[in-house]
Structures are given as C-alpha cells and as structure tokens.
Amino acid sequence: MRKKIVAGNWKMNLDYNEGLALFSEVVNMVKDEITGSQITVVCSPYIHLHSLAQLAKGYDKVAIGAQNAHQNESGAYTGEISAKMVRSTGAEYVILGHSERRQYFGEDNQLLAAKTDTALKNGLKPIFCIGETLEEREADQHFDVIKTQLKEGLGHLSTEQFEQVVIAYEPVWAIGTGKTASAEQAQEIHAFIRNEIAEAYNQEVADNTTILYGGSCNPKNAPELFAQADIDGGLIGGASLKSRDFTDIVKVFN
Ligand code: 13P
C-alpha cells in the first residue's frame, strides 16, 4: 500500500534557532498523531538539516528533506550543495522541480532529470514537483504540460528508481495565492498522473506511487482534498510554518 505523506516546505523562511524551535514543537505535536503508513517530512533550508535530523532520531515516522540539490556530484560550483552532502546530514528526501525553482532559477525538465539521477544515486528520495501555470490552464494545456514534465523529468528512470520517487502536483496558480484547486480539479489531475505512471511502468507501480497535492493546502481544505482517491497527502508551504496548522493537516489521516 502506498504511503500517505504530509510534507512541509519551509521555503526560505526561519533562521536557525526559529527552525529548531518550530521543528521541536511540530515533533512533539505530531509524534502521537501519525498513524498507519503515514509519514511526516519537513523540508527545511540546508542550514537546519543536520540538527533537525538529530532531533528526528527515534521517530521513525518523521523524516527530513532538503528543498534542492545540485545535479553534479561535486566540484567548483561555489555556493551549491550536493546530494551527497544533503544525505550526509541525515536528510532522506529532496524536493526537486518546485515551480519557484523552475520559475526563478530557470530549472527545466532536462536539468531536473539530471538532478533526479544524482539525488537517487546518493540515496535521496526525490519529491518531484509538477504543475501548470494559470496561463497554461486557461489555454487548456494542463494535461500536456504535466505529461511532458513527467516524461522529460522522470521518463528515463528504471522501475526500481521510480519507486523511490514521490510526486507532488502543484498548480502554480494556487501556490501562495490562497487559491486552491477544487478537490475535483485536483483529483482529476492526480488520476491523470497515476494513469500516466501506469502507462509508463505498470499498474502496480502506479498504485504504489504517493502523489501529493501542493498549493495553499490548509487545515480547512485538507480533509476534502485528502479524501480523494488519488490524493495521498500534501506538500504544504505557508501552513507548515505554524505548528498548530501543520499538525492539524497531519491529523487529517487519523
Ligand atoms: P503554499 O502552501 O504556501 O501555497 O505553498 C505551496 C507550496 O509551494 C509547497 O511546496
């Protein structure tokens, strides 16, 4: 059975001490709330990773992730962080292809395919983000955009590699805008993604893939979103910065 995941994406928020304080609060609040095959992942800035991984020790349903990692193994790339470095902190996940990275840092599907390979090679599980912009949705191109992002970003992976990947559907028009895709709109895309995976691999692989919804997910809308057949949890931005809101979202699966 596929895992349910509620993952927080702190983005570029919280200094070192603020991050540790929030994470300690979150762990205390969620540790008794994570049931069944659910896990909670906190994706922090790099500077927090090692300390958070230490704090998460002993809680096998709480994991840590980074928000990016470089496509090369090592070398003269001043200011960059490699997948191996991320893994060495104790982090297990890495967000790749977030729309903010695609939009502000020019990351395209080819680059993300390389980042995915390097992350997997170094033992990190990618949380691979896909999703259409408002213009693309209004032009009725959303299915094509998602199909291409999947194919070009992940289509080259073997079954064993793909089984390590979590997908996050993030409609760009619903990120940080307060707008959410309706549960029906989100389910429609999630079902489409699962079907694409079944065609590329097989039905069993598709059924085992965790597909998260991201885009203004909050304690109010999470119950309806997470009740959809193909929505296996969320990638949470703003609401992951408030321990109460994040915990309430984790509890939706109880
Ligand atoms: P918000 O939840 O703040 O809309 O952000 C979503 C997101 O980008 C998660 O990665």
Side-chain angles (χ1 to χ4, degrees):
M1 202 177 73
R2 57 185 178 257
K3 274 195 194 97
K4 306 283 187 195
I5 298 180
V6 173
N9 175 9
W10 287 358
K11 307 193 179 182
M12 196 175 74
N13 292 296
L14 307 172
D15 69 19
Y16 182 72
N17 293 318
E18 290 166 345
L20 262 58
L22 174 64
F23 186 74
S24 302
E25 255 176 61
V26 165
V27 170
N28 274 326
M29 290 166 84
V30 302
K31 65 181 191 305
D32 301 321
E33 305 289 351
I34 312 172
T35 53
S37 62
Q38 188 187 351
I39 62 165
T40 297
V41 182
V42 171
C43 298
S44 74
Y46 296 123
I47 60 150
H48 303 94
L49 291 175
H50 182 252
S51 301
L52 300 195
Q54 293 294 313
L55 288 170
K57 270 191 181 161
Y59 302 106
D60 60 352
K61 294 192 166 187
V62 179
I64 309 303
Q67 300 169 16
N68 182 31
H70 200 267
Q71 64 275 21
N72 291 329
E73 290 287 344
S74 64
Y77 302 102
T78 302
E80 291 296 320
I81 303 279
S82 73
K84 185 175 181 204
M85 291 172 194
V86 169
R87 186 70 190 98
S88 73
T89 66
E92 293 172 61
Y93 288 83
V94 61
I95 298 174
L96 292 178
H98 192 280
S99 64
E100 288 151 15
R101 303 251 9 132
R102 291 177 187 262
Q103 193 181 344
Y104 305 141
F105 301 94
E107 298 196 358
D108 60 17
N109 295 331
Q110 285 68 33
L111 176 72
L112 293 167
K115 287 192 174 209
T116 301
D117 288 344
T118 310
L120 288 169
K121 201 168 156 203
N122 286 281
L124 289 171
K125 298 182 179 78
I127 300 177
F128 194 86
C129 302
I130 53 179
E132 79 283 3
T133 63
L134 184 59
E135 272 170 12
E136 289 162 343
R137 178 162 278 263
E138 285 175 345
D140 216 16
Q141 292 169 345
H142 41 298
F143 291 112
D144 287 343
V145 167
I146 286 162
K147 197 181 172 100
T148 304
Q149 288 172 334
L150 279 171
K151 193 163 172 241
E152 294 184 358
L154 302 175
H156 63 291
L157 299 182
S158 68
T159 305
E160 291 70 31
Q161 288 175 315
F162 188 83
E163 283 169 345
Q164 301 301 308
V165 176
V166 173
I167 306 284
Y169 168 55
E170 302 211 324
V172 179
W173 47 274
I175 294 180
T177 57
K179 277 189 200 163
T180 326
S182 69
E184 292 73 29
Q185 278 173 324
Q187 166 58 25
E188 183 186 34
I189 300 282
H190 281 233
F192 174 77
I193 294 169
R194 203 175 302 286
N195 193 49
E196 289 295 305
I197 298 168
E199 280 184 14
Y201 296 93
N202 59 52
Q203 193 60 48
E204 193 188 347
V205 172
D207 288 341
N208 286 331
T209 303
T210 299
I211 308 176
L212 308 179
Y213 173 77
S216 295
C217 206
N218 60 47
K220 258 201 178 145
N221 58 31
E224 199 190 350
L225 287 162
F226 294 1
Q228 304 302 311
D230 291 293
I231 301 183
D232 307 312
L235 182 56
I236 322 294
S240 74
L241 298 172
K242 297 182 196 133
S243 54
R244 167 57 54 202
D245 283 1
F246 189 64
T247 307
D248 283 348
I249 298 172
V250 169
K251 283 202 257 184
V252 169
F253 283 120
N254 292 6

